[in-house]
Amino acid sequence: MTMIGDIGWSRFYHLGDEAMTEFALDALRARADVEITLIAGEPEYAAKMYGVDAVSRIGFKRDRPPNITRMRTILDYAESGGEKGGLAADDPAIRVIETVRNSDAVLIAGGGNLNSMFAQHIFERATLAKLARIFDKPYALTSQTLGPLIYDEDRGIVHDLLAEAEFVGTRESYTTQLARAGCRRREDPSPGRRCVLTHCR
């Protein structure tokens, strides 16, 4: 399984984000014998801290125009098997693409990162979800806070991220309402393809 959380920095430790990732890791391990690869800020540090394999983030910025271009480049590369997209050989996105390709599922662990103040996190997670869909891998989100600031130009990306998720875990009623609106965008009405919402109280 591939998992991303806002974690893995040697000089910065956010207790809440780290705790949500650690809980997700513990919950998965309690349920199954699963190999997990973390996508982290500093993969070597994260691997040592959590005892799992880790790779670097894809890498996005706060500016939306270059983020949109980079997302499209990465998806073209993944869809074409590396024949399109023009990623440099040392681009960290290639490791993430291969990690998702070789995984059974993707988990986007909790945090308050789906917020327009941190556009780079929105694009990181949205691209990861799109990669999962390219390779026909299920993905889910846990312990999420959406917004409260989501610009109109980001709203479609966030809704698309939620609409195809197998499961969305939320942390407060406001996020549950936004997530429900996103989940309603799913066109496939079959029970096996319906987004499940859970509100953690």
Side-chain angles (χ1 to χ4, degrees):
M1 175 177 284
T2 301
M3 181 188 301
I4 187 172
D6 193 11
I7 52 90
W9 303 102
S10 61
R11 297 186 181 183
F12 176 79
Y13 184 87
H14 189 289
L15 178 61
D17 289 333
E18 299 278 353
M20 284 182 282
T21 296
E22 184 173 355
F23 181 84
L25 285 167
D26 290 346
L28 288 169
R29 287 164 170 163
R31 287 167 170 80
D33 182 13
V34 58
E35 294 182 5
I36 299 169
T37 299
L38 279 176
I39 300 174
E42 297 177 36
E44 291 184 2
Y45 178 80
K48 182 177 180 180
M49 183 172 185
Y50 290 106
V52 297
D53 292 335
V55 298
S56 294
R57 294 178 178 185
I58 293 170
F60 286 93
K61 300 180 180 180
R62 290 179 181 265
D63 297 329
R64 285 166 184 79
N67 284 346
I68 292 170
T69 300
R70 178 157 173 72
M71 176 191 280
R72 186 66 262 165
T73 298
I74 291 166
L75 298 180
D76 285 346
Y77 185 97
E79 289 175 331
S80 68
E83 294 182 5
K84 299 179 180 178
L87 295 178
D90 61 348
D91 193 310
I94 294 176
R95 287 287 305 278
V96 174
I97 290 169
E98 292 305 313
T99 298
V100 174
R101 188 199 305 273
N102 295 325
S103 294
D104 294 319
V106 172
L107 183 66
I108 300 172
N113 300 310
L114 297 177
N115 185 319
S116 289
M117 290 183 64
F118 311 109
Q120 70 273 25
H121 294 313
I122 291 177
F123 278 89
E124 186 86 29
R125 284 148 181 78
T127 302
L128 185 62
K130 288 179 182 294
L131 289 173
R133 281 148 60 180
I134 287 172
F135 298 124
D136 197 26
K137 312 292 185 178
Y139 71 90
L141 298 87
T142 60
S143 305
Q144 296 293 320
T145 290
L146 304 180
L149 179 64
I150 300 180
Y151 295 143
D152 288 343
E153 56 263 46
D154 296 329
R155 196 169 296 273
I157 298 173
V158 173
H159 279 180
D160 185 57
L161 166 62
L162 300 175
E164 293 296 326
E166 299 296 325
F167 176 96
V168 178
T170 66
R171 295 194 291 178
E172 62 280 302
S173 58
Y174 174 80
T175 292
T176 304
Q177 292 172 5
L178 286 177
R180 183 172 290 117
C183 285
R184 284 182 185 143
R185 290 179 52 148
R186 171 172 282 179
E187 296 179 357
D188 187 344
S190 61
R193 295 296 298 159
R194 189 168 295 155
C195 180
V196 177
L197 282 171
T198 296
H199 180 192
C200 304
R201 299 182 183 274

